[in-house]
Amino acid sequence: MARAVSAVAISALAVVAAIAAALLQQRAAATAATACRAAESAVAATILGWPLFESGSPLAIAESLAPVWHVLVTENDPTKAVAAFGDDAARCCAGGADVPGCNSLVHAAFPLIAFMDRLRAAIDVPRRDALRGEAGAASASSLDAAIVDRLRATTKTDGLGSRAARVAVVGGGPSGLTAALVAHREGANVTLIEKRDFHYSRPVWFDLEPGDDGEPTTQAQLRAWGFFELRPPVVPDDAGSPVVTVQCFVLERFLALAAALAGVTMRAGEEFCGVCADDDGLVALAAHGGCTDGGDAPEAPAARRAGEPLLARSCTDADRHGVTVPFDILVGADGPRSRVRDALDLTYAPRARFSAADGSLWRTEAALSQVTLILAFELDAGGRCPALRRDAAGVPLPPHEPSFDEPGVSTVFKRFFEPYCELQLLFEETLGAELLAAYETEYPGGAPRWSWGPGGAPAAALERDRRALPLPLLRRVTATILASPFASDDALLGALRRPVPHGRADASLFRMAISAASAGGRVLSAPAPYGRLSTYAIALLRGDALASAHYRLGLGVNEAFKALPALADLLRVLGGMGGPDALRGSLMVAKTVFGATEAAVKAGADRMVNRQLFAIYFEAVCGFLVFGGDDAQQVYRRRHRDRQLELLPSDALDGLNCTAASTAASRAQRTR
Ligand SMILES: Cc1cc2nc3c(=O)[nH]c(=O)nc-3n(C[C@H](O)[C@H](O)[C@H](O)COP(=O)(O)OP(=O)(O)OC[C@H]3O[C@@H](n4cnc5c(N)ncnc54)[C@H](O)[C@@H]3O)c2cc1C
């Protein structure tokens, strides 16, 4: 009996122990889950003031943000950063079992939180605290509701001037992202359409100009947005100027993050296809995964008289299968092959006329262009770019040195920012044309967009390069620049052909011509059904869509920043004229708003085009070197005897009449 009782007691104890263990386990899981939730809340407390996050788990939000910070600050490889962060988040979310995972998540997000506070202040998004009073209650849900209401208020459509302007920005490069941020700051309801996803970028670097005296230059604006507080990997100029250089993807990711946080609706992976008009006004059409129609042609442009607003074509059911974004203002920031520009029926043609900045010279030259070769090198065994040659005092030789020795080479730029090591060569017109012809023979239809794996370049591509690229010249040029030049053409070709992250061709030869749109934008009209008023909208071009930027002078991104105040002014003028509803029925309002600021943007683009043509003319056609800024373009002649550059006085330039033939002659003379 006693044995039976103790057996029952033991099994009861076992049950109690099992229950206790289960309870403990449950409690541990609950503690972990609570800690996980607490960690989530820590992130959420700061983040949830942002409109973007009105829905969705805070953890998911942190998960989506922290990789961006990782990428900006520590990693060059977004895929790696996302994967690393994703593991932590996954562990934490899976029943809250891994608190350290959660902690590391919060830890990873921490600098981001400080940055977001800064950004929030700069971009002026309504903060939770600021709304506390307005909401009249302290509960989280009523505060969230207040934030959402505040945002929805910007999309109200009843009554003249009571709603925010709807701005559709096409293109998520530097011009589009900055335009979206500025339009948002001016109170507009902004949608950005970008055909890439934001994980792709280009192996390109931008030289960011410093801000002087309140001028809205690149560094000043980025500082105001909190960019430098994130300690992004920027490279100071090694010549000691205050310019800093940043990789394209770092800048684009920062701007995309800022835009998303500010509340811009980001439509990544959708391509803008055209514009149409429906009963309520003008609509941008976009499609997931690309347009199928080869582009939208506006209806009967030939029937329109000069100066009349463009009649956008009417939306059909087929159009509506894609994405439609209604707009009052359309910003075409979709680069040199802009579909927005095509939809506006504007042309994009190379320019022929240019002047010196001080007006001392005017020239018209047909088809000015420059041929450029970009070479990406491998890192050495220590993970560094190849070492540069130095003079007797140990100072690295300037990269333009080869232009003293190599006939036909205008100049060379070095972009050595590990893990990228790149030389950019610019050729004078005649040699450039010869090289391009050879390259086009080997790669008919243009160089392919290579994406090679770790094995490197396929043998066939190396063989084509061997035939097309000027190997003896490249060997000499690199020997002038590098301390340990390549021992053989094979070593040189192998080094040139390394795969580039996010990459495409790592050696590419192309012609850079400077083209500009025939106008900076236009007024569009949506014809209304009988008895109702037509609606007008304003379309603007920005960045390379307006005028192409040669990398040579580092102008493109900086000019995009300089154009930002005009967009802010335009939105203010529109607000002053009664808001976007004033565009219903009044062509006069539309034209006034459009004209108020766009002349300044067009003038800026014209200045940029002029500066580039000036440089191309004197470098590619005359064989000189051009340095200097907006107001002083300085032209240098090479003094071969003492290997110095000699500044030419501006009044001497007017008398010069260079031709490609004269460059070829001087080349022949120098070779002798
Ligand atoms: C090798 C090289 C080096 C350079 N170096 C410098 C430099 O040092 N400094 C400098 O200031 N500039 C430099 N530039 C020039 C600079 O890259 C451009 O001026 C700048 O990128 C222009 O920005 P953007 O936003 O106007 O256009 P882009 O950067 O071309 O962006 C356009 C965006 O629109 C998207 N898009 C295109 N069509 C559509 C569509 N139909 N629908 C939706 N989205 C679309 C594209 O995917 C892209 O993201 C360099 C250029 C090159 C090629």
Side-chain angles (χ1 to χ4, degrees):
M1 173 77 176
R3 196 177 284 174
V5 168
S6 64
V8 169
I10 287 169
S11 58
L13 273 176
V15 170
V16 169
I19 291 171
L23 281 173
L24 276 175
Q25 213 177 355
Q26 216 177 352
R27 186 149 172 223
T31 312
T34 309
C36 204
R37 266 199 301 280
E40 284 190 33
S41 311
V43 178
T46 307
I47 296 176
L48 274 187
W50 292 87
L52 177 70
F53 307 126
E54 90 193 42
S55 61
S57 133
L59 196 60
I61 291 157
E63 189 188 359
S64 67
L65 296 181
V68 183
W69 175 76
H70 267 288
V71 169
L72 281 170
V73 181
T74 57
E75 293 276 358
N76 255 332
D77 180 354
T79 331
K80 209 159 114 196
V82 170
F85 196 81
D87 284 352
D88 279 347
R91 275 203 302 278
C92 187
C93 291
D98 186 341
V99 178
C102 232
N103 289 339
S104 73
L105 186 146
V106 175
H107 181 75
F110 188 73
L112 188 71
I113 289 170
F115 150 70
M116 286 191 298
D117 265 346
R118 180 79 188 77
L119 188 66
R120 176 163 37 205
I123 295 175
D124 204 19
V125 173
R127 249 198 104 111
R128 200 167 257 262
D129 323 356
L131 290 169
R132 196 172 287 274
E134 287 176 36
S139 84
S141 56
S142 61
L143 282 173
D144 283 344
I147 291 167
V148 173
D149 277 354
R150 162 70 69 93
L151 291 158
R152 295 226 169 100
T154 63
T155 53
K156 265 199 244 153
T157 50
D158 49 328
L160 192 70
S162 66
R163 68 178 174 94
R166 295 162 306 178
V167 175
V169 177
V170 180
S175 311
L177 289 164
T178 49
L181 276 166
V182 164
H184 173 82
R185 179 166 188 137
E186 291 303 318
N189 192 353
V190 186
T191 304
L192 185 138
I193 304 165
E194 164 56 55
K195 68 180 179 186
R196 297 174 287 152
D197 70 20
F198 286 106
H199 287 130
Y200 173 79
S201 197
R202 296 151 283 177
V204 169
W205 292 264
F206 298 132
D207 293 331
L208 310 177
E209 284 175 5
D212 320 309
D213 300 335
E215 206 192 355
T217 46
T218 317
Q219 282 186 35
Q221 179 62 80
L222 284 171
R223 186 164 297 109
W225 283 336
F227 177 64
F228 294 104
E229 285 167 38
L230 263 183
R231 300 184 305 281
V234 295
V235 188
D237 185 60
D238 55 10
S241 91
V243 166
V244 294
T245 304
V246 65
Q247 218 169 310
C248 172
F249 85 88
V250 173
L251 183 68
E252 284 186 340
R253 269 158 199 274
F254 166 80
L255 294 171
L257 171 65
L261 287 172
V264 170
T265 305
M266 306 289 273
R267 308 204 66 116
E270 291 170 5
E271 185 173 17
F272 165 86
C273 308
V275 175
C276 70
D278 70 9
D279 288 354
D280 290 325
L282 283 134
V283 173
L285 302 169
H288 295 280
C291 311
T292 49
D293 60 358
D296 177 33
E299 210 167 60
R304 184 170 38 85
R305 280 196 311 245
E308 276 187 351
L310 184 75
L311 293 181
R313 74 182 179 146
S314 322
C315 299
T316 63
D317 281 347
D319 293 330
R320 290 175 185 282
H321 290 153
V323 175
T324 53
V325 181
F327 65 87
D328 305 299
I329 295 172
L330 175 69
V331 179
D334 49 344
R337 285 183 286 275
S338 168
R339 272 179 182 262
V340 174
R341 196 180 53 227
D342 291 348
L344 301 183
D345 190 30
L346 298 174
T347 56
Y348 197 60
R351 288 289 179 86
R353 193 160 161 71
F354 65 93
S355 69
D358 63 3
S360 61
L361 145 102
W362 281 95
R363 282 281 153 75
T364 304
E365 288 286 326
L368 270 184
S369 67
Q370 205 160 16
V371 173
T372 189
L373 173 64
I374 296 192
L375 308 172
F377 292 94
E378 269 176 338
L379 299 170
D380 66 17
R384 313 301 308 256
C385 291
L388 294 173
R389 267 186 58 197
R390 291 170 184 270
D391 64 14
V395 178
L397 291 168
H400 67 257
E401 276 275 302
S403 68
F404 283 103
D405 302 311
E406 289 303 336
V409 175
S410 286
T411 189
V412 181
F413 293 91
K414 150 186 87 65
R415 303 292 235 171
F416 280 8
F417 311 132
E418 284 103 9
Y420 297 90
C421 320
E422 193 179 280
L423 287 179
Q424 302 170 338
L425 278 69
L426 285 163
F427 301 105
E428 290 170 15
E429 179 60 27
T430 321
L431 177 59
E434 284 164 20
L435 294 180
L436 210 58
Y439 206 64
E440 277 160 6
T441 308
E442 293 306 329
Y443 293 100
R449 290 172 73 90
W450 291 287
S451 178
W452 296 320
L462 288 182
E463 192 42 45
R464 285 180 159 192
D465 281 351
R466 195 186 302 281
R467 291 194 298 259
L469 291 173
L471 283 177
L473 183 143
L474 291 182
R475 216 179 323 115
R476 285 196 305 271
V477 166
T478 53
T480 316
I481 296 173
L482 305 179
S484 319
F486 297 94
S488 70
D489 288 351
D490 275 355
L492 176 62
L493 276 175
L496 297 177
R497 285 305 189 179
R498 79 185 187 94
V500 176
H502 317 296
R504 40 159 299 163
D506 42 353
S508 44
L509 186 69
F510 53 93
R511 189 178 275 285
M512 288 279 330
I514 306 302
S515 297
S518 47
R522 69 187 329 150
V523 170
L524 293 167
S525 100
Y530 181 74
R532 288 177 58 189
L533 293 173
S534 294
T535 298
Y536 297 96
I538 292 161
L540 313 167
L541 296 176
R542 286 293 188 266
D544 279 20
L546 176 60
S548 54
H550 190 331
Y551 69 84
R552 160 71 178 88
L553 298 167
L555 292 172
V557 171
N558 295 300
E559 287 300 319
F561 275 77
K562 283 183 188 155
L564 294 177
L567 180 59
D569 287 349
L570 183 140
L571 284 160
R572 279 178 217 152
V573 172
L574 181 60
M577 296 190 77
D581 287 328
L583 293 173
R584 191 167 285 270
S586 177
L587 179 58
M588 192 272 293
V589 169
K591 281 188 167 171
T592 309
V593 172
F594 178 68
T597 55
E598 287 312 293
V601 174
K602 191 74 174 59
D606 287 344
R607 268 198 308 278
M608 178 174 93
V609 166
N610 186 64
R611 234 179 112 181
Q612 300 184 109
L613 292 179
F614 180 94
I616 291 178
Y617 177 74
F618 283 104
E619 291 197 342
V621 182
C622 300
F624 298 129
L625 279 177
V626 180
F627 297 108
D630 232 346
D631 43 355
Q633 299 139 321
Q634 295 170 328
V635 179
Y636 292 84
R637 191 205 314 268
R638 302 165 180 84
R639 287 210 313 247
H640 283 268
R641 251 161 304 149
D642 57 7
R643 302 179 69 79
Q644 292 295 315
L645 294 173
E646 175 193 8
L647 182 61
L648 291 177
S650 58
D651 55 2
L653 301 180
D654 203 17
L656 285 168
N657 230 343
C658 314
T659 58
S662 71
T663 322
S666 87
R667 188 149 64 94
Q669 206 175 7
R670 266 193 273 151
T671 346
R672 262 182 255 136

